[in-house]
């Protein structure tokens, strides 16, 4: 896999700092563990609404990933459009990577 963002998400998952799936993410948000919520580019509107509302109530940032569900499934081993990051370092790095990619720049450091 040459996609740095997907590779980093896989690393977060292996470190057990990434929740995958709307219900698991909602639980992470409710328990105050979630620091960042991510949605796949093709996430279903119902999932978006429910999870983003819970995140907004807790003041947790929500970002849309520039990747689709099937791309995420390759990196994470599970098909889902909703992710929650439970580690500050991972959350900060993911935000930086997503924002850099959206600006059309490349980040060579992980």
């Amino acid at each position: 896999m040459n996609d740095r963002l997907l590779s980093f998400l896989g690393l977060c998952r292996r470190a057990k700092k990434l929740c995958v799936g709307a219900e698991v993410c909602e639980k992470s948000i409710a328990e105050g563990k979630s620091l960042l919520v991510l949605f796949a580019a093709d996430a279903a509107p119902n999932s978006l609404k429910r999870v983003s509302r819970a995140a907004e109530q807790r003041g947790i940032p929500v970002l849309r990933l520039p990747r689709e569900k099937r791309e995420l499934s390759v990196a994470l081993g599970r098909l889902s459009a909703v992710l929650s990051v439970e580690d500050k370092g991972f959350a900060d790095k993911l935000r930086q990577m997503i924002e850099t990619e959206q600006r059309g720049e490349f980040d060579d450091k992980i």
Side-chain angles (χ1 to χ4, degrees):
M1 176 183 340
N2 290 332
D3 188 316
R4 296 177 72 73
L5 179 59
L6 293 178
S7 294
F8 196 73
L9 285 170
L11 177 66
C12 294
R13 175 90 165 153
R14 288 187 300 279
K16 300 188 186 309
K17 297 299 180 182
L18 186 71
C19 297
V20 181
E23 291 177 13
V24 178
C25 290
E26 282 183 293
K27 182 179 178 186
S28 176
I29 291 166
E31 292 174 352
K33 294 179 182 178
S34 180
L35 300 173
L36 176 66
V37 174
L38 304 169
F39 289 105
D42 58 346
N46 287 340
S47 295
L48 282 170
K49 189 185 310 180
R50 200 173 72 231
V51 177
S52 62
R53 186 178 310 138
E56 287 173 11
Q57 289 174 346
R58 293 277 186 159
I60 300 166
V62 177
L63 294 175
R64 185 175 292 272
L65 286 165
R67 303 291 184 281
E68 294 181 357
K69 286 189 291 191
R70 70 177 168 74
E71 293 173 292
L72 295 175
S73 71
V74 171
L76 304 175
R78 180 166 173 225
L79 184 62
S80 182
V82 183
L83 309 173
S84 173
V85 183
E86 296 183 338
D87 177 83
K88 182 172 176 16
F90 284 133
D92 290 345
K93 183 61 180 177
L94 282 164
R95 285 180 76 167
Q96 176 190 3
M97 292 173 81
I98 293 165
E99 291 167 1
T100 298
E101 186 171 318
Q102 288 173 343
R103 287 192 308 263
E105 301 170 7
F106 295 99
D107 187 8
D108 290 336
K109 300 177 217 164
I110 284 189

